[in-house]
Amino acid sequence: MGLLEGKRLLVTGVLTDSSIAFNVAKLAQEEGAQVVLTGFGRLSLVERIAKRLPEPPPVVELDVQDTEHLDTLADRVGAHVDGLDGVVHSIGFAPQTALGGNFLNTTWEDVATAVHVSTFSFKSLAVACLPLMKEGGAVVGLDFDATKAWPVYDWMGVAKAGLESCSRYLARDLGKHGIRVNLVAAGPLRTMAAKSIPGFQEFEESWPAKAPLGWDLADTAPAAKACLALLSDWFPATTGEIVHVDGGVHAMGV
């Protein structure tokens, strides 16, 4: 019996096979889960990446800024599975003007985009999937420690702080449905999202040296395994929590 035997999961954010979400989907299938993916934009690209998984899953289109996509998500996912036991939110975006040391000059329009896609979408996705989670389950989001003002992260850091707060309110309101809501705060990884951050090399140069356990910027497996644990039945009374998977940097004073 695998850790997620019989579980039905919706996984967002599989853009490349170097993404955390890809590893979540891969390990989930290996642990017995049935997986459905979402894709944004050119679905053919996501479908191509999906074929690299042990069992190529169905891909459902989802633009989290599109109300119609959200309103119909449960029906479209329900065409492939008879319910959901878990949802993985791996969605984040900020315009270039909101990153890279431009904090004081970013316009509200660009900040609004970052918050809509990276923060509000956590609530939107959870609510859209609620009709499929009649037996309860787990929602897990991917985070980056928002307790500090990091170099170059700027308004995405603000959006992540909002994500952390949003997860606590979701935990409060979804608890009555038997749904746990938690975040995994991963250290910096060389994903597609990281490549879009100007000055990301500052993290690459300093993080491994600061981490008590060391840190491999190319290894998404530790973060993915944490997601699987939170999606499993082994955390039945944990909600509103942030699990740090960063080599221990968040706990250090340097």
Side-chain angles (χ1 to χ4, degrees), residues 119-182:
T119 307
F120 186 74
S121 68
F122 194 46
K123 189 279 296 187
S124 300
L125 180 65
V127 171
C129 293
L130 191 57
L132 294 173
M133 303 184 76
K134 299 184 185 302
E135 300 174 11
V139 178
V140 177
L142 289 168
D143 186 25
F144 189 77
D145 181 25
T147 62
K148 301 173 181 64
W150 298 104
V152 309
Y153 209 47
D154 294 351
W155 285 102
M156 182 58 87
V158 176
K160 290 297 187 183
L163 177 70
E164 293 179 1
S165 182
C166 181
S167 72
R168 291 187 284 270
Y169 282 97
L170 275 177
R172 181 195 69 182
D173 289 352
L174 294 182
K176 63 186 177 185
H177 298 284
I179 297 173
R180 296 167 283 117
V181 182
N182 296 289

Side-chain angles (χ1 to χ4, degrees), residues 242-253:
I242 302 173
V243 177
H244 290 82
V245 183
D246 63 355
V249 170
H250 76 281
M252 298 297 104

Side-chain angles (χ1 to χ4, degrees), residues 50-69:
K51 291 178 181 178
R52 300 178 187 176
L53 291 167
E55 293 290 333
V59 179
V60 174
E61 185 175 16
L62 176 61
D63 176 355
V64 292
Q65 292 182 286
D66 188 318
T67 302
E68 183 179 354
H69 280 197

Side-chain angles (χ1 to χ4, degrees), residues 43-100:
L43 289 189
S44 60
L45 296 178
V46 181
E47 290 167 346
R48 189 183 311 160
I49 297 299
K51 291 178 181 178
R52 300 178 187 176
L53 291 167
E55 293 290 333
V59 179
V60 174
E61 185 175 16
L62 176 61
D63 176 355
V64 292
Q65 292 182 286
D66 188 318
T67 302
E68 183 179 354
H69 280 197
L70 291 163
D71 289 346
T72 61
L73 183 64
D75 288 339
R76 293 184 291 120
V77 172
H80 303 286
V81 289
D82 58 0
L84 287 175
D85 303 291
V87 176
V88 178
H89 178 278
S90 180
I91 300 170
F93 171 76
Q96 288 288 297
T97 57
L99 300 162

